[in-house]
């Protein structure tokens, strides 16, 4: 494993998540610098801190700097030049994890598209720097060739988008088929590591990979289960994470469209998280769901990992999330499943009564 210096905001839960991300991407967080501001113009961090980072890297023979925020192309370049090792920002780290774990052709295409969307503004930065003479000979290219390189990247984005759309169309056909068969769908969504796959496995009698780290699941799986004498299609989905750029959601849209077109969206929260993290993660999930066009009324919030909490703690956390009649379960032990199934039946029953069919054949539940 490469040893890295982690640069991160000074909050315990943010540090923990940053560590988990770094590890999942193959970096061992050997040292940490925490800073309240990670958006300073030249290096992301202030010049003094950047010097300190360079010293830590040098003295401890580290291989990389992992920066848990977004960096522009020029910030990355400046920091890498100062520290003399590679610099990976948060988005790049997430992309690397996705690239390592993408196993289906579709996921691979999606990751490539997200990578290009990540590189494009940075390539433009490089063009600007090359033009100002600040970064001559980037890739051994002169400034005109760099212009050509950016144009080439834009073309590739176009080609990839078309391919991703083709796969997406196949999903649309599959969805139309399901809708014609009158099968309702439920997507299990939530922050990465909240226990979606564990729940999916329990409900569907499957044995999909469950992980301790982040982003164990990248491709959605759908299975049918019987609920109230009706076949319900449940889908396990890719986890959400805070500060996820919209272009990444865009790249994974065909996967996440399963969510947009579901009759019911189960939002699973890890109730064992400390309160502040719980609330922040919940907010980032509801933000992502709204980015995906899921109306609030279609979401069923379920508190998971209840086995790790007392009833009193659960009540307190439900209150913090504003849940009036909380459904609390343990995906691991099966506790609370009866209430969960009851809530699912009730919500599906209500959605069936007023369900209409959308032009593409998807079933559109009431807003
Ligand atoms: N104690 C306890 N642990 C749980 C429960 N549900 C899941 N876990 C654990 O939480 C970790 C993450 O579980 P996963 O099911 O992989 O979570 P996920 O939401 O699918 O994660 P990603 O696919 O990475 O987004 C694993 O170590 C599970 O064993 C639960 O009800 N109780
Ligand atoms: Mg999973």
């Amino acid at each position: 494993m490469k040893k890295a210096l982690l640069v991160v905001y000074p909050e315990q839960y943010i540090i923990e998540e940053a560590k988990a991300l770094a590890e999942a991407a193959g970096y061992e967080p050997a040292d940490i610098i925490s800073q309240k501001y990670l958006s300073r113009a030249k290096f992301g961090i202030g010049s003094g801190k950047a010097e300190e980072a360079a010293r830590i890297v040098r003295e401890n023979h580290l291989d990389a700097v992992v920066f848990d925020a977004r960096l522009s192309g020029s910030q990355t370049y400046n920091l890498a030049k100062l520290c003399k090792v590679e610099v990976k920002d948060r988005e790049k780290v997430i992309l690397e994890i996705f690239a390592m774990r993408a196993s289906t052709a579709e996921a691979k295409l999606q990751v490539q598209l997200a990578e290009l969307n990540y590189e494009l503004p940075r390539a433009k930065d490089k063009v600007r720097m090359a033009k100002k003479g600040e970064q001559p000979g980037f890739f051994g290219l002169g400034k005109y060739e760099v212009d050509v390189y950016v144009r080439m990247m834009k073309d590739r984005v176009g080609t990839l988008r078309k391919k991703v759309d083709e796969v997406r169309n196949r999903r649309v056909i599959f969805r139309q088929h399901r809708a014609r068969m009158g099968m309702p769908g439920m997507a299990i969504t939530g922050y990465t590591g909240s226990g979606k796959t564990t729940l999916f496995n329990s409900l569907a009698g499957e044995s999909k990979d469950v992980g301790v780290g982040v982003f164990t699941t990248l491709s959605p799986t759908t299975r049918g289960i019987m609920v109230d004498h009706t076949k319900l299609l449940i889908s396990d989905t890719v986890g959400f994470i805070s500060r996820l750029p919209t272009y990444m959601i865009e790249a994974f849209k065909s996967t996440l469209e399963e969510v947009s077109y579901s009759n019911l969206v189960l939002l699973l929260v890890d109730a064992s998280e400390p309160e502040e993290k719980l609330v922040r993660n919940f907010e980032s999930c509801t933000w992502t769901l709204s980015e995906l066009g899921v109306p609030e009324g279609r979401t069923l919030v379920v508190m998971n990992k209840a086995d790790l909490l007392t009833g009193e703690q659960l009540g307190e956390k439900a209150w913090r999330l504003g849940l009036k009649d909380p459904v609390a379960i343990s995906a691991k032990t099966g506790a609370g499943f009866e209430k969960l199934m009851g809530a699912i039946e009730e919500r599906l029953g209500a959605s069936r009564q007023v369900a209409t069919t959308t032009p593409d054949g998807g079933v559109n539940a009431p807003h």
Side-chain angles (χ1 to χ4, degrees):
M1 241 193 204
K2 288 181 181 172
K3 281 194 192 164
L5 168 68
L6 204 59
V7 183
V8 65
Y9 290 108
E11 301 258 8
Q12 199 48 43
Y13 70 88
I14 294 182
I15 295 174
E16 269 159 34
E17 181 175 284
K19 275 186 183 168
L21 278 172
E23 276 164 8
Y27 300 95
E28 180 198 330
D31 235 305
I32 293 179
I33 284 189
S34 62
Q35 270 283 277
K36 220 166 167 183
Y37 301 101
L38 299 182
S39 53
R40 300 258 188 248
K42 192 166 180 191
F43 301 107
I45 40 179
S47 305
K49 275 283 169 184
E51 292 288 348
E52 189 187 332
R55 184 182 54 75
I56 295 174
V57 167
R58 196 174 52 242
E59 286 174 3
N60 300 294
H61 308 287
L62 305 183
D63 310 296
V65 173
V66 169
F67 199 96
D68 193 44
R70 189 177 185 283
L71 287 175
S72 69
S74 56
Q75 287 167 327
T76 308
Y77 173 76
N78 292 335
L79 198 57
K81 197 172 160 202
L82 185 72
C83 296
K84 300 191 179 66
V85 290
E86 56 178 350
V87 172
K88 307 278 171 162
D89 75 347
R90 180 180 174 90
E91 290 178 17
K92 184 73 185 166
V93 168
I94 295 175
L95 282 171
E96 287 189 352
I97 301 170
F98 277 24
M100 276 191 288
R101 305 214 167 141
S103 55
T104 62
E106 180 181 15
K108 283 182 185 148
L109 278 175
Q110 289 167 330
V111 172
Q112 279 176 34
L113 182 58
E115 275 170 348
L116 278 173
N117 279 316
Y118 172 87
E119 292 297 342
L120 200 56
R122 284 162 180 81
K124 283 182 187 156
D125 262 8
K126 286 174 186 165
V127 172
R128 231 189 15 251
M129 285 159 81
K131 282 186 177 158
K132 281 202 296 187
E134 281 176 18
Q135 200 186 7
F138 148 70
F139 281 172
L141 303 176
K143 59 183 176 182
Y144 300 107
E145 284 109 319
V146 176
D147 272 339
V148 173
Y149 171 69
V150 168
R151 223 173 305 134
M152 205 177 69
M153 280 180 77
K154 279 190 182 156
D155 286 348
R156 279 187 59 204
V157 169
T159 316
L160 269 173
R161 199 160 272 152
K162 252 186 232 140
K163 281 192 189 164
V164 167
D165 277 347
E166 279 167 25
V167 187
R168 190 169 170 182
N169 287 340
R170 257 176 268 153
R171 277 188 187 277
V172 170
I173 292 168
F174 185 55
R175 242 187 344 255
Q176 284 171 339
H177 171 72
R178 271 169 15 199
R180 268 196 301 274
M181 307 283 287
M183 282 186 230
M186 178 180 86
I188 305 173
T189 67
Y191 211 78
T192 181
S194 57
K196 300 176 295 297
T197 306
T198 309
L199 177 63
F200 176 84
N201 285 344
S202 299
L203 293 179
E206 276 284 347
S207 52
K208 295 274 164 200
D209 276 355
V210 164
V212 276
V214 286
F215 298 124
T216 305
T217 311
L218 271 199
S219 306
T221 313
T222 301
R223 292 284 178 275
I225 62 166
M226 292 307 288
V227 177
D228 193 20
H229 310 293
T230 318
K231 191 161 182 182
L232 170 69
L233 292 168
I234 59 169
S235 303
D236 183 19
T237 64
V238 56
F240 302 151
I241 197 158
S242 65
R243 294 180 277 148
L244 190 68
T246 307
Y247 72 78
M248 246 187 244
I249 298 177
E250 195 57 42
F252 278 82
K253 214 154 191 168
S254 70
T255 310
L256 291 167
E257 253 171 9
E258 291 299 319
V259 177
S260 323
Y261 285 91
S262 290
N263 303 67
L264 183 59
V265 174
L266 200 148
L267 171 53
L268 200 63
V269 294
D270 177 350
S272 73
E273 301 279 23
E275 265 188 33
E276 194 182 355
K277 186 174 184 202
L278 176 82
V279 173
R280 295 268 186 109
N281 287 0
F282 182 66
E283 281 166 359
S284 84
C285 288
T286 49
W287 177 82
T288 310
L289 287 176
S290 71
E291 283 286 291
L292 289 168
V294 175
E296 223 175 285
R298 208 181 295 168
T299 311
L300 172 64
V301 181
V302 175
M303 300 175 79
N304 189 31
K305 308 198 188 179
D307 54 302
L308 300 174
L309 294 150
T310 63
E312 199 180 329
Q313 287 169 327
L314 264 175
E316 176 73 19
K317 288 187 168 170
W319 180 79
R320 281 297 301 265
L321 297 179
L323 306 175
K324 287 194 192 76
D325 184 20
V327 180
I329 62 161
S330 167
K332 213 172 191 172
T333 68
F337 274 26
E338 231 166 87
K339 181 161 182 182
L340 171 66
M341 295 320 279
I344 293 173
E345 271 171 38
E346 192 187 309
R347 298 290 291 274
L348 282 177
S351 93
R352 259 201 299 271
Q353 274 173 15
V354 245
T356 52
T357 304
T358 56
D360 83 337
V363 174
N364 195 1
H367 290 204

